[in-house]
Amino acid sequence: MKPAFDTLLVANRGEIAVRIIRAARELGLRTVAVFSDADAGSLPTRLADQAVPIGPAQAGKSYLNVAALLNAARSVGAGAIHPGYGFLSENAAFAEAVTAAGLVFVGPGAAAIRTMGDKAAARLAAQRAGVATVPGSAGAVDGIEEALRIAGDIGYPVLIKASAGGGGRGIHIAGDASELRQELGRAQAQAKAAFGDAAVYLERFIRQARHIEVQILGDGKRVVHCFERECSLQRRRQKIWEEAPCAAIDAATRQALCDSALALARAVDYSGAGTLEYLYDEDTRAFFFIEMNTRIQVEHPVTEMVTGVDLVKEMLRIALGEPLRLQQSDIALRGAAIEVRINAENPARNFMPCPGTLSSLQVPGGPGVRFDSMLFPGCRVPAFYDSLLAKLIVHDENRPAALARLERALDELGTEGLTTTQGLHQKLVRDPQVRAGQLHTGFLEAWLAAHPM
Amino acid sequence: MPQIEVLSPLPGIFYRQAAPDAPPYVTEGSRVRVGDVLGLIEVMKQFSEVSAEVDGAVLRFAVGNGDAVEPGQTLLFIETP
């Protein structure tokens, strides 16, 4: 059978564009990178078979410019577009536009993006599939009276979350009824301004929880899971350190968690790679679905390390029209993996962004070490995009061994000319509580307050 | 009357307003006092305020809303009494 496409356009930049180009080339596909003026000469443009300019530095005029991306795809004869993460990756209208242009969108269909991308709709879908959600409103809340009644039922403090939000954005906290009166209108107005949709919903605020997520792969007919990741180390709701598996759950909890993810993914006939995010309450061993990401995630490599499954290649195979090759029994958990994000930020100055030029680079190596990055000596890190430079990922037979390997690999990394979060990770990896795996989503901010950099 | 150039402290994107549908912080002719916010610079998805360091009136902008700017680039001119 003739494959659905032989040329892939990567509608992204940075390390994820590099990752996708590598996977596509290994599958024998021709690869096309796109770049803004600020990314001319970047690593993805060097590694792809072809590179096409798509506009000025501002993302709105380049990486978020649907017409420019479709024109680029047409000009090079691309048959498919991989959106990566961020930018247009969870934009249902973009997925539709790609399909309408006769191209394959590497990801789920627009309907699944729309349902699971709307956080209130995703909660409803989860409840219908029998998956526990954080106690909260059944869907979007309209007026303050309805909000007060629901908040009274679920108990304060409550989170007011934008239905169209995500990645930790669009979240307000109300500690009591008077704060809810103040914050509801503000949250709706900000949701409207930030996401073009004023809808918000309420959730109980769980103070000490772990953030655990389940990786799934589907082909529209069948779904498998690739176990869970622990992503509790976050600052301002941005993950900086991720692990697989989660050291805090037992086999029975893991099974129940992964089964619930499968049930929800099946309910929406999911196709492609996706992640279901949960909060896990260690005291009660209860887990609650919070949202789904309908794309490949930054932290996917830890799952690849412990399962041996190449998630990006599997995404591409599904997009090529192949049925899912993996049975659930093919996917086993082996050892432990940790990823740390090397960001162009200064931890000593409140994580101020630090764009610049890399003068020299020493990449960590040796057994069980993987370095996914956009860096090369002399590369410029522009100010216009997110601060992720590289992901250092280690794998070993168990968590203590992986921690030792991470400590060693972090000490090998050298990035002259740039200020990065490497030093933060060097401290975290040596911290007794981190080593003991005593993590929760509030851990890092409290730790930073107690350990000034 | 002397003119003061307000320079961008950072590389990034300059915005004249807090949100796409918000009014601009200041327009040509606006009276400003020390500390008043004149605009925002977005660097790697983080926003920093650019504030007036003198009292005066906004004479004119040297860059447009949403323009890419370099450190040291003139953003606007303030006329001081």
Side-chain angles (χ1 to χ4, degrees):
Chain A
M1 199 180 86
K2 187 176 170 294
F5 55 89
D6 56 18
T7 300
L8 176 75
L9 181 125
V10 181
N12 215 297
R13 64 176 302 282
E15 70 85 20
I16 195 62
V18 170
R19 170 76 186 90
I20 295 163
I21 289 164
R22 285 176 171 155
R25 287 178 61 93
E26 288 173 19
L27 288 176
L29 295 168
R30 196 167 75 89
T31 53
V32 181
V34 296
F35 63 97
S36 72
D37 293 349
D39 279 332
S42 66
L43 190 58
T45 70
R46 295 172 161 215
L47 299 184
D49 296 292
Q50 195 177 346
V52 182
I54 50 163
Q58 294 93 321
K61 297 174 182 170
S62 48
Y63 298 105
L64 292 169
N65 183 341
V66 174
L69 291 165
L70 292 178
N71 280 339
R74 211 168 288 128
S75 74
V76 298
I81 295 184
H82 196 309
Y85 52 64
F87 295 127
L88 293 167
S89 60
E90 293 184 281
N91 184 313
F94 178 62
E96 266 167 1
V98 170
T99 312
L103 307 175
V104 175
F105 178 78
V106 183
I113 297 177
R114 206 160 265 140
T115 302
M116 302 315 284
D118 180 297
K119 308 306 174 198
R123 271 175 66 84
L124 271 180
Q127 287 156 9
R128 288 204 192 100
V131 175
T133 56
V134 181
S137 58
V141 292
D142 292 324
I144 183 66
E145 294 310 320
E146 185 191 359
L148 287 168
R149 184 173 49 74
I150 294 167
D153 287 346
I154 62 180
Y156 292 94
V158 294
L159 296 177
I160 311 165
K161 294 178 139 185
S163 291
R169 299 195 306 145
I171 298 175
H172 294 241
I173 298 178
D176 54 37
S178 75
E179 284 183 17
L180 182 57
R181 281 180 190 281
Q182 273 177 19
E183 291 293 321
L184 185 73
R186 194 177 297 169
Q188 287 170 326
Q190 287 186 8
K192 175 77 181 152
F195 311 111
D197 178 358
V200 298
Y201 63 99
L202 302 185
E203 250 180 33
R204 184 196 293 161
F205 177 44
I206 300 175
R207 277 191 190 281
Q208 273 226 358
R210 285 178 189 260
H211 176 120
I212 302 180
E213 59 190 31
V214 178
Q215 176 70 52
I216 56 135
L217 281 171
D219 63 5
K221 297 189 176 74
R222 223 158 47 75
V223 187
V224 295
H225 71 76
C226 298
F227 299 98
E228 82 285 357
R229 296 186 282 264
E230 148 92 58
C231 311
S232 297
L233 282 182
Q234 307 181 355
R235 178 178 169 274
R236 296 189 176 173
R237 300 181 190 277
Q238 297 295 316
K239 300 161 188 166
I240 65 149
W241 164 307
E242 301 99 345
E243 306 186 7
C246 171
I249 61 174
D250 58 24
T253 305
R254 174 168 297 118
Q255 185 72 49
L257 178 76
C258 294
D259 283 348
S260 90
L262 290 178
L264 181 47
R266 280 191 199 111
V268 294
D269 299 323
Y270 196 78
S271 179
T275 300
L276 295 101
E277 299 194 328
Y278 294 81
L279 288 180
Y280 178 66
D281 184 338
E282 245 177 305
D283 297 337
T284 61
R285 294 191 182 183
F287 51 82
F288 305 100
F289 168 77
I290 43 175
E291 62 182 65
M292 180 168 187
N293 294 311
T294 56
R295 54 170 161 82
I296 193 72
Q297 281 189 289
V298 175
E299 59 271 28
H300 75 273
V302 288
T303 298
E304 295 184 324
M305 300 298 262
V306 294
T307 61
V309 175
D310 186 319
L311 293 167
V312 181
K313 270 194 207 167
E314 294 306 330
M315 282 182 96
L316 289 168
R317 287 196 175 101
I318 294 162
L320 282 161
E322 294 177 28
L324 201 55
R325 303 182 312 154
L326 297 158
Q327 302 294 326
Q328 192 61 60
S329 56
D330 297 333
I331 305 169
L333 199 52
R334 218 188 107 256
I338 306 171
E339 169 185 287
V340 296
R341 300 193 191 189
I342 307 299
N343 292 339
E345 294 169 4
N346 186 349
R349 292 189 62 190
N350 198 29
F351 293 84
M352 185 180 79
C354 300
T357 300
L358 182 68
S359 51
S360 77
L361 174 67
Q362 180 169 291
V363 175
V369 175
R370 169 174 166 181
F371 192 65
D372 280 21
S373 104
M374 56 173 270
L375 298 174
F376 59 88
C379 88
R380 288 180 303 117
V381 178
F384 304 103
Y385 316 106
D386 73 53
S387 59
L388 182 63
L389 299 172
K391 306 180 307 202
L392 174 58
I393 307 120
V394 297
H395 181 226
D396 209 331
E397 58 191 18
N398 54 41
R399 189 172 185 272
L403 283 164
R405 184 159 276 176
L406 177 61
E407 189 175 334
R408 184 271 291 174
L410 273 166
D411 290 347
E412 284 183 18
L413 174 64
T415 55
E416 276 175 50
L418 292 175
T419 305
T420 76
T421 51
Q422 177 185 5
L424 167 68
H425 292 302
Q426 285 174 308
K427 284 192 175 177
L428 283 173
V429 74
R430 292 171 168 89
D431 181 83
Q433 270 183 284
V434 173
R435 296 188 83 92
Q438 291 165 354
L439 311 176
H440 59 87
T441 56
F443 176 89
L444 181 59
E445 287 181 12
W447 186 92
L448 285 166
H451 301 77
M453 296 292 293
Chain B
M1 288 198 288
Q3 286 178 19
I4 302 288
E5 288 175 85
V6 178
L7 307 180
S8 178
L10 300 162
I13 300 173
F14 178 67
Y15 294 103
R16 288 182 55 183
Q17 58 220 48
D21 57 354
Y25 290 107
V26 292
T27 55
E28 286 172 12
S30 294
R31 311 286 313 172
V32 295
R33 309 198 60 163
V34 172
D36 284 356
V37 178
L38 305 170
L40 299 176
I41 304 280
E42 180 186 0
V43 191
M44 292 180 159
K45 295 188 170 179
Q46 292 191 38
F47 292 87
S48 302
E49 292 179 344
V50 178
S51 306
E53 291 175 0
V54 292
D55 294 349
V58 176
L59 191 64
R60 65 182 174 85
F61 279 85
V63 294
N65 188 47
D67 280 1
V69 296
E70 295 293 330
Q73 186 175 343
T74 304
L75 301 174
L76 63 146
F77 297 91
I78 293 178
E79 197 170 52
T80 58

